Short mmCIF file of all heavy atoms in Angstrom, two decimals:
data_model
loop_
_atom_site.label_atom_id
_atom_site.label_comp_id
_atom_site.label_asym_id
_atom_site.label_seq_id
_atom_site.Cartn_x
_atom_site.Cartn_y
_atom_site.Cartn_z
N PHE A 52 -4.30 14.89 -0.59
CA PHE A 52 -4.11 15.02 0.85
C PHE A 52 -5.10 14.11 1.55
O PHE A 52 -6.26 14.02 1.16
CB PHE A 52 -4.34 16.48 1.29
CG PHE A 52 -4.17 16.69 2.76
CD1 PHE A 52 -2.91 16.80 3.31
CD2 PHE A 52 -5.28 16.74 3.60
CE1 PHE A 52 -2.74 16.98 4.67
CE2 PHE A 52 -5.13 16.92 4.95
CZ PHE A 52 -3.85 17.04 5.49
N GLY A 53 -4.65 13.42 2.58
CA GLY A 53 -5.50 12.50 3.32
C GLY A 53 -6.06 13.13 4.58
O GLY A 53 -5.43 13.08 5.63
N ASP A 54 -7.27 13.71 4.47
CA ASP A 54 -7.93 14.21 5.68
C ASP A 54 -8.75 13.07 6.28
O ASP A 54 -8.79 11.96 5.74
CB ASP A 54 -8.78 15.45 5.37
CG ASP A 54 -9.89 15.18 4.36
OD1 ASP A 54 -10.26 14.00 4.14
OD2 ASP A 54 -10.39 16.16 3.78
N GLU A 55 -9.40 13.32 7.39
CA GLU A 55 -10.14 12.26 8.09
C GLU A 55 -11.20 11.63 7.20
O GLU A 55 -11.31 10.40 7.13
CB GLU A 55 -10.77 12.80 9.37
CG GLU A 55 -9.77 13.15 10.43
CD GLU A 55 -10.42 13.66 11.70
OE1 GLU A 55 -11.56 13.25 12.00
OE2 GLU A 55 -9.79 14.48 12.38
N GLN A 56 -11.98 12.44 6.51
CA GLN A 56 -13.06 11.94 5.67
C GLN A 56 -12.51 11.14 4.48
O GLN A 56 -13.03 10.08 4.15
CB GLN A 56 -13.93 13.09 5.18
CG GLN A 56 -15.12 12.64 4.38
CD GLN A 56 -16.01 13.81 3.98
OE1 GLN A 56 -15.73 14.97 4.30
NE2 GLN A 56 -17.09 13.52 3.28
N THR A 57 -11.46 11.64 3.86
CA THR A 57 -10.86 10.97 2.71
C THR A 57 -10.31 9.60 3.10
O THR A 57 -10.57 8.60 2.44
CB THR A 57 -9.75 11.84 2.10
OG1 THR A 57 -10.31 13.08 1.68
CG2 THR A 57 -9.08 11.15 0.92
N ILE A 58 -9.53 9.56 4.17
CA ILE A 58 -8.93 8.29 4.60
C ILE A 58 -10.01 7.31 5.03
O ILE A 58 -9.96 6.12 4.67
CB ILE A 58 -7.89 8.53 5.71
CG1 ILE A 58 -6.69 9.29 5.13
CG2 ILE A 58 -7.44 7.21 6.33
CD1 ILE A 58 -5.65 9.70 6.16
N ALA A 59 -11.02 7.77 5.77
CA ALA A 59 -12.11 6.88 6.18
C ALA A 59 -12.83 6.31 4.97
O ALA A 59 -13.16 5.12 4.93
CB ALA A 59 -13.09 7.63 7.08
N GLY A 60 -13.04 7.14 3.94
CA GLY A 60 -13.67 6.65 2.71
C GLY A 60 -12.82 5.63 1.99
O GLY A 60 -13.33 4.61 1.52
N HIS A 61 -11.50 5.88 1.90
CA HIS A 61 -10.61 4.91 1.26
C HIS A 61 -10.58 3.60 2.04
O HIS A 61 -10.54 2.52 1.45
CB HIS A 61 -9.19 5.47 1.14
CG HIS A 61 -9.07 6.57 0.14
ND1 HIS A 61 -8.15 7.56 0.24
CD2 HIS A 61 -9.78 6.83 -1.00
CE1 HIS A 61 -8.28 8.40 -0.78
NE2 HIS A 61 -9.26 7.97 -1.53
N MET A 62 -10.57 3.69 3.36
CA MET A 62 -10.58 2.47 4.18
C MET A 62 -11.82 1.64 3.88
O MET A 62 -11.72 0.44 3.64
CB MET A 62 -10.55 2.82 5.68
CG MET A 62 -9.24 3.34 6.15
SD MET A 62 -8.00 2.02 6.15
CE MET A 62 -6.63 2.88 6.85
N GLN A 63 -12.96 2.30 3.88
CA GLN A 63 -14.23 1.59 3.66
C GLN A 63 -14.36 1.06 2.24
O GLN A 63 -14.75 -0.09 2.04
CB GLN A 63 -15.40 2.51 3.98
CG GLN A 63 -16.75 1.86 3.76
CD GLN A 63 -17.89 2.80 4.08
OE1 GLN A 63 -17.72 3.80 4.76
NE2 GLN A 63 -19.06 2.49 3.56
N ASP A 64 -14.02 1.89 1.25
CA ASP A 64 -14.27 1.53 -0.14
C ASP A 64 -13.21 0.63 -0.76
O ASP A 64 -13.50 -0.07 -1.73
CB ASP A 64 -14.38 2.79 -1.01
CG ASP A 64 -15.56 3.67 -0.61
OD1 ASP A 64 -16.48 3.16 0.05
OD2 ASP A 64 -15.53 4.87 -0.94
N GLN A 65 -11.98 0.67 -0.23
CA GLN A 65 -10.86 0.03 -0.92
C GLN A 65 -9.94 -0.75 0.00
O GLN A 65 -9.68 -1.92 -0.22
CB GLN A 65 -10.02 1.16 -1.53
CG GLN A 65 -9.80 1.15 -2.96
CD GLN A 65 -8.94 2.34 -3.37
OE1 GLN A 65 -8.84 3.36 -2.71
NE2 GLN A 65 -8.33 2.19 -4.50
N LEU A 66 -9.39 -0.06 0.97
CA LEU A 66 -8.22 -0.57 1.68
C LEU A 66 -8.50 -1.79 2.55
O LEU A 66 -7.66 -2.68 2.64
CB LEU A 66 -7.58 0.55 2.51
CG LEU A 66 -7.16 1.78 1.68
CD1 LEU A 66 -6.62 2.88 2.58
CD2 LEU A 66 -6.15 1.39 0.62
N TRP A 67 -9.68 -1.87 3.17
CA TRP A 67 -9.98 -3.08 3.95
C TRP A 67 -10.06 -4.30 3.04
O TRP A 67 -9.64 -5.39 3.43
CB TRP A 67 -11.28 -2.91 4.75
CG TRP A 67 -11.05 -2.13 6.01
CD1 TRP A 67 -11.48 -0.87 6.27
CD2 TRP A 67 -10.31 -2.55 7.16
NE1 TRP A 67 -11.05 -0.49 7.53
CE2 TRP A 67 -10.33 -1.50 8.09
CE3 TRP A 67 -9.63 -3.72 7.49
CZ2 TRP A 67 -9.70 -1.57 9.33
CZ3 TRP A 67 -9.00 -3.79 8.73
CH2 TRP A 67 -9.05 -2.73 9.63
N ASN A 68 -10.57 -4.12 1.81
CA ASN A 68 -10.59 -5.24 0.86
C ASN A 68 -9.17 -5.70 0.54
O ASN A 68 -8.89 -6.90 0.50
CB ASN A 68 -11.30 -4.85 -0.44
CG ASN A 68 -12.78 -4.68 -0.25
OD1 ASN A 68 -13.37 -5.27 0.65
ND2 ASN A 68 -13.39 -3.86 -1.08
N TYR A 69 -8.26 -4.74 0.29
CA TYR A 69 -6.87 -5.11 0.01
C TYR A 69 -6.27 -5.86 1.19
O TYR A 69 -5.58 -6.86 1.03
CB TYR A 69 -6.01 -3.87 -0.26
CG TYR A 69 -6.39 -3.05 -1.47
CD1 TYR A 69 -5.75 -1.85 -1.69
CD2 TYR A 69 -7.34 -3.46 -2.38
CE1 TYR A 69 -6.07 -1.06 -2.79
CE2 TYR A 69 -7.66 -2.69 -3.47
CZ TYR A 69 -7.02 -1.49 -3.68
OH TYR A 69 -7.33 -0.73 -4.76
N ARG A 70 -6.51 -5.35 2.39
CA ARG A 70 -5.96 -5.97 3.60
C ARG A 70 -6.49 -7.39 3.75
O ARG A 70 -5.75 -8.32 4.07
CB ARG A 70 -6.31 -5.11 4.83
CG ARG A 70 -6.04 -5.76 6.18
CD ARG A 70 -4.55 -6.00 6.36
NE ARG A 70 -4.23 -6.47 7.68
CZ ARG A 70 -4.16 -7.75 8.03
NH1 ARG A 70 -4.41 -8.69 7.14
NH2 ARG A 70 -3.82 -8.10 9.24
N ASN A 71 -7.78 -7.57 3.55
CA ASN A 71 -8.38 -8.90 3.70
C ASN A 71 -7.88 -9.89 2.64
O ASN A 71 -7.72 -11.08 2.92
CB ASN A 71 -9.90 -8.82 3.66
CG ASN A 71 -10.46 -8.11 4.88
OD1 ASN A 71 -9.83 -8.07 5.93
ND2 ASN A 71 -11.63 -7.54 4.74
N LEU A 72 -7.62 -9.40 1.43
CA LEU A 72 -7.19 -10.28 0.35
C LEU A 72 -5.68 -10.53 0.34
O LEU A 72 -5.24 -11.64 0.05
CB LEU A 72 -7.59 -9.68 -1.00
CG LEU A 72 -9.08 -9.64 -1.30
CD1 LEU A 72 -9.34 -8.83 -2.56
CD2 LEU A 72 -9.62 -11.05 -1.44
N PHE A 73 -4.88 -9.49 0.63
CA PHE A 73 -3.45 -9.57 0.39
C PHE A 73 -2.58 -9.37 1.63
O PHE A 73 -1.37 -9.45 1.55
CB PHE A 73 -3.03 -8.55 -0.67
CG PHE A 73 -3.84 -8.64 -1.94
CD1 PHE A 73 -4.64 -7.59 -2.34
CD2 PHE A 73 -3.80 -9.78 -2.71
CE1 PHE A 73 -5.39 -7.67 -3.50
CE2 PHE A 73 -4.55 -9.87 -3.88
CZ PHE A 73 -5.35 -8.82 -4.28
N GLY A 74 -3.17 -9.04 2.76
CA GLY A 74 -2.39 -8.80 3.97
C GLY A 74 -2.06 -7.33 4.14
O GLY A 74 -2.67 -6.47 3.51
N PRO A 75 -1.09 -7.02 4.97
CA PRO A 75 -0.77 -5.63 5.28
C PRO A 75 -0.19 -4.89 4.09
O PRO A 75 0.43 -5.48 3.21
CB PRO A 75 0.26 -5.75 6.42
CG PRO A 75 0.86 -7.10 6.26
CD PRO A 75 -0.22 -7.97 5.69
N GLY A 76 -0.37 -3.56 4.08
CA GLY A 76 0.11 -2.78 2.96
C GLY A 76 0.45 -1.35 3.32
O GLY A 76 0.25 -0.89 4.45
N LEU A 77 0.97 -0.64 2.32
CA LEU A 77 1.41 0.75 2.44
C LEU A 77 0.52 1.62 1.58
O LEU A 77 0.25 1.30 0.42
CB LEU A 77 2.86 0.86 1.96
CG LEU A 77 3.44 2.24 1.71
CD1 LEU A 77 3.49 3.05 3.00
CD2 LEU A 77 4.82 2.13 1.09
N VAL A 78 0.05 2.75 2.15
CA VAL A 78 -0.72 3.74 1.41
C VAL A 78 0.08 5.03 1.44
O VAL A 78 0.41 5.54 2.51
CB VAL A 78 -2.11 3.96 2.02
CG1 VAL A 78 -2.92 4.93 1.16
CG2 VAL A 78 -2.84 2.65 2.20
N ILE A 79 0.40 5.54 0.25
CA ILE A 79 1.16 6.79 0.15
C ILE A 79 0.22 7.91 -0.25
O ILE A 79 -0.40 7.86 -1.31
CB ILE A 79 2.30 6.66 -0.88
CG1 ILE A 79 3.26 5.54 -0.49
CG2 ILE A 79 3.05 7.99 -1.01
CD1 ILE A 79 4.32 5.24 -1.53
N TYR A 80 0.09 8.92 0.63
CA TYR A 80 -0.65 10.14 0.33
C TYR A 80 0.39 11.19 -0.03
O TYR A 80 1.04 11.76 0.83
CB TYR A 80 -1.50 10.58 1.53
CG TYR A 80 -2.73 9.74 1.70
CD1 TYR A 80 -2.75 8.65 2.57
CD2 TYR A 80 -3.89 10.03 0.98
CE1 TYR A 80 -3.88 7.87 2.71
CE2 TYR A 80 -5.03 9.25 1.12
CZ TYR A 80 -5.02 8.17 1.99
OH TYR A 80 -6.14 7.41 2.12
N TRP A 81 0.57 11.45 -1.33
CA TRP A 81 1.66 12.28 -1.83
C TRP A 81 1.58 13.74 -1.39
O TRP A 81 2.58 14.44 -1.37
CB TRP A 81 1.75 12.18 -3.35
CG TRP A 81 2.18 10.81 -3.78
CD1 TRP A 81 1.38 9.81 -4.23
CD2 TRP A 81 3.50 10.28 -3.76
NE1 TRP A 81 2.13 8.69 -4.50
CE2 TRP A 81 3.44 8.96 -4.22
CE3 TRP A 81 4.75 10.80 -3.40
CZ2 TRP A 81 4.55 8.14 -4.34
CZ3 TRP A 81 5.86 9.99 -3.52
CH2 TRP A 81 5.75 8.68 -3.98
N PHE A 82 0.40 14.21 -1.03
CA PHE A 82 0.25 15.58 -0.56
C PHE A 82 0.06 15.64 0.95
O PHE A 82 -0.45 16.63 1.47
CB PHE A 82 -0.90 16.27 -1.31
CG PHE A 82 -0.60 16.45 -2.77
CD1 PHE A 82 -1.03 15.52 -3.70
CD2 PHE A 82 0.14 17.53 -3.22
CE1 PHE A 82 -0.74 15.66 -5.05
CE2 PHE A 82 0.44 17.69 -4.56
CZ PHE A 82 0.00 16.75 -5.48
N GLY A 83 0.47 14.59 1.65
CA GLY A 83 0.40 14.55 3.10
C GLY A 83 -0.92 14.01 3.62
O GLY A 83 -1.83 13.69 2.86
N PHE A 84 -1.01 13.88 4.92
CA PHE A 84 -2.22 13.40 5.57
C PHE A 84 -2.20 13.88 7.02
O PHE A 84 -1.17 14.30 7.54
CB PHE A 84 -2.34 11.87 5.50
CG PHE A 84 -1.20 11.14 6.16
CD1 PHE A 84 -1.27 10.76 7.49
CD2 PHE A 84 -0.06 10.81 5.45
CE1 PHE A 84 -0.22 10.10 8.10
CE2 PHE A 84 1.00 10.14 6.04
CZ PHE A 84 0.91 9.78 7.37
N ILE A 85 -3.35 13.83 7.65
CA ILE A 85 -3.46 14.20 9.06
C ILE A 85 -2.77 13.11 9.88
O ILE A 85 -3.17 11.94 9.83
CB ILE A 85 -4.93 14.37 9.47
CG1 ILE A 85 -5.54 15.53 8.68
CG2 ILE A 85 -5.05 14.59 10.97
CD1 ILE A 85 -7.02 15.71 8.89
#
Side-chain angles (χ1 to χ4, degrees):
F52 179 79
D54 61 19
E55 291 181 31
Q56 184 176 1
T57 300
I58 292 175
H61 290 151
M62 288 290 184
Q63 179 180 342
D64 297 340
Q65 237 180 338
L66 303 176
W67 280 109
N68 290 335
Y69 297 173
R70 169 64 173 92
N71 291 336
L72 292 171
F73 307 116
L77 167 64
V78 184
I79 300 173
Y80 284 95
W81 292 100
F82 294 95
F84 60 91
I85 296 174

